[in-house]
Amino acid sequence: METETLIIGGGLMGAWTAFFLSGWGHPVTVLEKSRVGAQASGVNYGNLRIQGRHASEYPLSLRAQEVWERIESTLGTTCEVQATGHIYVAQTQEQMEKLERVTAEAGEFGHPVELRNRAETLRVWPWLAGEVIGTSHAPRDCTANPRLVTPAVARAAAAQGAVFLEGIEVTDVSAVGEGFEVVTCAGERLRARHLVNAAGAWANEIAAKFGERVPMFAAGPPQFVTEALPHFIGPSMQQVDGRVICRQVARGNVVVAGYPRGPSDTVGNRAPVPPHKTLDTMRRLARLVPALAGAHVIRVWSGIEGYVSDMLPVLGRSMTVPNLIHAFGFCGHGFQLSPGVGIVVSELIMDGATPTPIEAFGAGRFTEADWAGLTSHADEFDPDLKIV
Amino acid sequence: MAQASGRKRDLTAVAIVGAGPAGIAAAATLVAHGVRPVLIDEAEMPGGQVYRRPPDEIGHDMARLLGSEVAGFRRFHDSANRVVQSVDYRPSTLAWGVQDGALWTATPAGKAERLKFGALILATGATDRVLPAKGWTLPGVFALGGSQAILKGQGCLIGRRVAFCGSSPLLYLAALQHRRMGAEVVAVLDTTPFAAKVAALPNLTAAPGVLLRGLGLMARLRRWGIRIEHGVRLVEFVDDGHGGGVSAIRYRDAAGHPGEVACDAAALGYGLRPESQLAELAGCEFRYDPLFRQWFPVMDAGQRGAPGVYLAGDSSTIGGAEAAAVSGAIAAGSVLRDLGIRNVPDQTPLRRKLNRLLRFQAGLAQAFAWPSDVAGDIPDDVSVCRCEAVTAGELRAALSRPFGADELNRLKAQTRCGMGRCQGRYCELAAGEIAAAALGRDREAMGRLRGQAPVKPIPLSAATDGEA
């Protein structure tokens, strides 16, 4: 089989890229080893957060947000996108200073963020407690339901002519002439002029074929949800140190994520959450929002995500072979970026260039130090959690 | 038990979860060989579901409720009361996770606690298997096991005019017990045809005593003039329209004629499903059983499920109380052997007895079948997942759309079916049949819902210091 562009990986990045390419009439085929949106793309927390991103990500993030803000006219479904806003909660003076920097930086990119001291914070969000020093609030930040997005994007892309092959694992890939040949688990050979490596936590296996492995590890971000409660938490909220991230969905359940991340099994495709990780986040959440202390955790889950040593994605042209584009390693914050990534990768293929700066995300940026310091922290947990 | 405690070994190395017939038998076997296990049970008193007993202070007349079966009930509790004095017994304690040789519990005060084990015996029992029908979420419609728990544990009837429906030998027993305690039993509506019961006789003769008791039970209900229908199709639990809940059951009889029976409460059940979540977290593999149309943990002949993990009772094989006790003794025997304790009696006779009891259960599964063929006919507007209010129609939509679901976990992700408080306990099996019917595929291909700890809800305060 021959097509113009082959995308390896049917997660958010691959699906959005296929959506934009097919929208321009470009022949594209997506190869997905299981089902679209099955891993990090489908089981993440659902944050459409812009504030607090690395400066290099803002232009991409803002481009993505324009798509999220008109998601219903784009896809014909809302994917439960909600204009919740997002707050960072500082608990130390040092964190508060960080929020001042975050606020200034967001302002430079035209993204409004409001700073509040403790008194102002507690007036607006009286359910916060504990050592809250202040907050930064981005009213334009949103949330959405990740379980619904990738299948919805894939449906829209397929309606435009994109081909999705699910349950097809790539066993070999090589550069042939000006293009690529991919061999699938079914023994089929597929050829294309362009290749997009959007294989998430598995993307190094593809990158390695072209001598471009990057310092990346796979891990599972632990998450849980409480029973439904009367609605009282408006914005999506996170501690500056990332140890508690939570939001209350429209039906009343509180969805929670929290660093440190957990282990994952990229062969068995499972990410069992160690109980102490869940307890760790539960305890911190109960401290931060005491009204939730009696709320029951009804479900725990995780997924498999690729984390890069400098916690920035790998996005852009390959340094070793023409017509290969990498889009992986989004380090647990790729959900919001994904439509922007789809646009940028499509532009690289269609126009040969993109107006969005992505130089910071090149696969060639890593040094020995990046490899030496690589650790997943998957075994890490709160040292003062007194459970014997 | 002074004799046993004089020879006790490691105090914490063996943990048992569940103090029903399987857990108590396992504990008794260990105690008899000088091992003092930790026995963790969610309930306040031993008994599990089958030997559930009321608090003494309510003065519930168990002899009246159980009739001639009260002797077995008393025998169990006499034995259990002795056993719990010789073990580290922790009632009102929830076991909610297993990882790396440790069990995670919530204490009676609601605090998370970790318990390391060298060997773990899981005797976590079973819950009701239900298949939705129109109106099944109305007030007054109970799961069959739930109706039993209320009757035995609290001495309460679920209604004054009660119908029992579904397919299970327990329908008849529960009907008898409700009648004894003063309820009017208006009907037993059994969805399995009588012919299936006749066909199951060769397997049922494996336990002739139980078979005879069962036949006697049916005869007694008939003598009392209680309507017993075989081979019915349940059509609807009818709403009284005034907020009072169920007022009647509509059905089609074996000949296809419509029938209706007035009632103010109904118990619905199709046998049992194993509570095997902890076994999964402990590393057990699962196998699909085409007769039961369910997944069970894989075990060897010594009830070993994974290294250091032993399974007993209905949590691993639906076998009933007697089989549970035998399998508990076998599991404990395997623990003793694996710990290197000598003089453990040969388990062959126990195994032979268990196999016979399980053959009887296979007969019961034929005689009281899960009506999987009905799943495709469940109307679209019927709620399947009652926690998250997901209807059969929503499931079918997710199964038919492009990039939709083709197995249970993806169906859950796309519809919320199984995401609620009960974690799929009451909808998983029905959703699996609806999916198989909608896709025209085998039930086995629909898979099973994956688990994570906690296997039952725990409050955030479980992780905090201080008061719950």
Side-chain angles (χ1 to χ4, degrees):
Chain A
M1 195 197 89
E2 222 166 313
T3 183
E4 273 298 305
T5 294
L6 271 175
I7 300 174
I8 301 177
L12 279 165
M13 306 306 163
W16 276 117
T17 302
F19 173 78
F20 289 110
L21 283 176
S22 58
W24 289 328
H26 181 91
V28 54
T29 295
V30 180
L31 303 173
E32 165 52 47
K33 69 179 167 57
S34 61
R35 302 295 313 274
V36 299
Q39 287 299 335
S41 299
V43 297
N44 66 76
Y45 167 87
N47 223 359
L48 301 179
R49 170 183 61 82
I50 302 168
Q51 72 158 331
R53 286 188 179 273
H54 191 269
S56 61
E57 285 186 356
Y58 267 98
L60 181 64
S61 180
L62 289 165
R63 253 193 121 173
Q65 200 71 357
E66 289 170 18
V67 180
W68 288 116
E69 286 171 352
R70 52 182 161 77
I71 188 86
E72 190 161 14
S73 61
T74 306
L75 297 183
T77 165
T78 65
C79 297
E80 296 176 22
V81 171
Q82 287 198 296
T84 51
H86 175 270
I87 60 175
Y88 274 116
V89 180
Q91 294 173 301
T92 65
Q93 201 51 48
E94 198 183 342
Q95 291 178 348
M96 197 63 212
E97 284 157 21
K98 185 175 176 186
L99 290 189
E100 284 162 14
R101 289 197 299 277
V102 161
T103 304
E105 200 162 66
E108 285 169 30
F109 288 100
H111 186 61
V113 174
E114 300 155 6
L115 269 183
R116 286 184 175 84
N117 65 22
R118 177 181 170 85
E120 291 163 347
T121 294
L122 297 184
R123 195 157 49 239
V124 184
W125 301 295
W127 36 267
L128 278 171
E131 315 93 6
V132 176
I133 289 188
T135 46
S136 68
H137 176 214
R140 193 185 165 193
D141 289 0
C142 306
T143 55
N145 187 339
R147 292 183 286 105
L148 308 179
V149 177
T150 319
V153 177
R155 268 192 293 279
Q160 296 174 161
V163 177
F164 285 80
L165 303 177
E166 294 183 288
I168 300 294
E169 201 162 343
V170 169
T171 53
D172 196 19
V173 54
S174 53
V176 176
E178 291 211 335
F180 299 88
E181 184 177 84
V182 165
V183 184
T184 71
C185 58
E188 204 182 343
R189 284 167 194 278
L190 309 173
R191 285 188 174 219
R193 182 173 166 77
H194 301 275
L195 183 70
V196 178
N197 177 16
W202 296 263
N204 255 340
E205 294 169 28
I206 308 300
K209 300 280 185 190
F210 304 101
E212 280 193 304
R213 266 170 58 86
V214 303
M216 178 173 78
F217 58 84
Q223 291 162 88
F224 64 80
V225 64
T226 71
E227 61 198 315
L229 304 160
H231 212 279
F232 71 101
I233 300 177
S236 177
M237 170 186 74
Q238 93 186 71
Q239 287 185 191
V240 172
D241 63 10
R243 288 184 182 256
V244 172
I245 309 170
C246 77
R247 64 188 175 102
Q248 191 170 18
V249 299
R251 38 189 308 117
N253 309 75
V254 179
V255 178
V256 188
Y259 185 86
R261 57 191 79 93
S264 70
D265 170 5
T266 54
V267 178
N269 279 341
R270 292 295 319 272
V273 181
H276 59 71
K277 298 258 184 197
T278 304
L279 289 167
D280 192 357
T281 311
M282 285 164 64
R283 192 174 59 129
R284 289 172 183 282
L285 178 60
R287 276 189 196 158
L288 190 63
V289 189
L292 291 175
H296 283 76
V297 173
I298 62 170
R299 191 163 49 85
V300 164
W301 74 96
S302 187
I304 303 177
E305 168 70 328
Y307 296 84
V308 180
S309 56
D310 59 4
M311 291 297 142
L312 288 174
V314 177
L315 173 63
R317 291 191 177 285
S318 159
M319 308 286 284
T320 61
V321 57
N323 297 337
L324 168 63
I325 296 168
H326 296 298
F328 65 88
F330 285 83
C331 311
H333 60 257
F335 182 56
Q336 191 275 337
L337 297 177
S338 60
V341 171
I343 293 172
V344 162
V345 174
S346 307
E347 286 169 344
L348 290 176
I349 290 169
M350 301 293 293
D351 306 339
T354 173
T356 303
I358 55 166
E359 296 73 23
F361 312 133
R365 69 181 188 265
F366 303 102
T367 66
E368 278 303 313
D370 287 300
W371 287 96
L374 195 65
T375 166
S376 74
H377 300 283
D379 298 324
E380 187 186 304
F381 65 101
D382 188 353
D384 59 298
L385 183 65
K386 289 188 192 64
I387 285 176
V388 285
Chain B
M1 291 293 114
Q3 182 194 4
S5 58
R7 292 186 281 124
K8 72 189 173 196
R9 294 158 201 264
D10 192 332
L11 292 177
T12 57
V14 184
I16 302 172
V17 182
I24 290 295
T29 303
L30 294 173
V31 166
H33 288 82
V35 173
R36 183 172 183 261
V38 181
L39 175 59
I40 288 161
D41 192 43
E42 206 177 339
E44 285 175 53
M45 285 179 285
Q49 299 300 332
V50 62
Y51 298 125
R52 181 186 290 278
R53 60 183 284 198
D56 292 336
E57 55 270 25
I58 70 170
H60 194 17
D61 186 352
M62 290 307 278
R64 179 178 165 200
L65 170 63
L66 295 173
S68 63
E69 311 225 338
V70 78
F73 176 85
R74 290 192 174 130
R75 228 174 8 254
F76 170 84
H77 281 288
D78 288 346
S79 156
N81 288 341
R82 275 196 310 276
V83 167
V84 296
Q85 284 166 36
S86 308
V87 304
D88 179 354
Y89 175 50
R90 302 186 189 179
S92 303
T93 301
L94 170 70
W96 56 266
V98 186
Q99 197 210 8
D100 296 340
L103 191 65
W104 287 86
T105 66
T107 65
K111 296 300 174 188
E113 208 167 72
R114 196 167 74 124
L115 176 76
K116 288 191 173 178
F117 61 80
L120 173 66
I121 299 177
L122 293 172
T124 42
T127 45
D128 284 287
R129 172 157 73 162
V130 287
L131 190 69
K134 195 169 170 57
W136 76 294
T137 56
L138 282 172
V141 182
F142 289 75
L144 179 59
S147 76
Q148 290 279 91
I150 291 167
L151 183 62
K152 287 194 258 183
Q154 297 164 27
C156 295
L157 301 168
I158 60 169
R160 302 207 169 275
R161 308 182 68 221
V162 186
F164 292 84
C165 47
S167 196
S168 162
L170 271 182
L171 290 178
Y172 300 87
L173 182 63
L176 173 77
Q177 292 175 348
H178 270 76
R179 154 97 187 197
R180 278 178 182 149
M181 299 313 285
E184 181 191 347
V185 176
V186 294
V188 177
L189 303 175
D190 189 330
T191 56
T192 309
F194 191 72
K197 297 174 172 80
V198 175
L201 277 173
N203 276 332
L204 291 176
T205 53
V210 188
L211 174 62
L212 284 175
R213 278 207 302 280
L215 291 173
L217 192 58
M218 286 192 195
R220 186 135 41 129
L221 293 173
R222 281 201 192 283
R223 264 203 314 279
W224 282 335
I226 292 170
R227 187 189 327 181
I228 299 179
E229 299 264 9
H230 297 280
V232 305
R233 276 201 169 207
L234 298 175
V235 175
E236 182 181 2
F237 296 94
V238 182
D239 192 340
D240 82 341
H242 308 290
V246 64
S247 61
I249 302 174
R250 293 203 183 108
Y251 63 95
R252 290 192 175 275
D253 69 14
H257 302 304
E260 182 164 333
V261 54
C263 62
D264 63 7
L268 173 67
Y270 294 91
L272 300 173
R273 53 174 290 288
E275 281 289 294
S276 53
Q277 299 87 352
L278 290 176
E280 178 184 353
L281 296 180
C284 296
E285 299 288 322
F286 282 73
R287 66 178 174 87
Y288 178 73
D289 185 313
L291 176 60
F292 285 84
R293 292 180 78 89
Q294 297 197 54
W295 296 77
F296 295 100
V298 176
M299 297 178 291
D300 72 3
Q303 306 285 125
R304 294 175 187 84
V309 179
Y310 307 78
L311 310 170
D314 282 352
S315 66
S316 55
T317 319
I318 300 300
E322 197 180 354
V326 177
S327 69
I330 295 174
S334 298
V335 169
L336 293 168
R337 272 162 209 264
D338 296 349
L339 288 177
I341 291 170
R342 279 175 298 183
N343 306 324
V344 180
D346 177 25
Q347 302 206 13
T348 312
L350 284 176
R351 189 71 233 177
R352 206 172 288 142
K353 184 175 180 189
L354 180 59
N355 287 344
R356 186 169 55 75
L357 291 169
L358 293 180
R359 188 155 69 82
F360 177 74
Q361 288 295 323
L364 285 182
Q366 291 170 275
F368 301 95
W370 165 245
S372 53
D373 54 320
V374 173
D377 301 333
I378 294 173
D380 276 349
D381 62 349
V382 170
S383 181
V384 176
C385 169
R386 58 192 305 173
C387 296
E388 296 292 326
V390 182
T391 64
E394 289 172 82
L395 295 183
R396 291 183 184 121
L399 290 157
S400 64
R401 73 168 78 100
F403 305 101
D406 59 355
E407 53 84 37
L408 278 170
N409 291 286
R410 200 161 171 87
L411 189 61
K412 173 178 161 181
Q414 297 199 353
T415 65
R416 313 189 63 86
C417 181
M419 279 196 173
R421 273 196 84 94
C422 87
Q423 301 188 352
R425 283 173 171 80
Y426 292 95
C427 65
E428 174 179 1
L429 296 175
E433 299 293 355
I434 289 169
L439 297 174
R441 298 187 59 195
D442 285 347
R443 170 63 186 87
E444 184 176 8
M446 300 300 103
R448 53 186 293 280
L449 289 179
R450 294 186 292 259
Q452 289 264 20
V455 301
K456 283 190 179 176
I458 54 170
L460 294 190
S461 57
T464 60
D465 306 325
E467 292 300 302

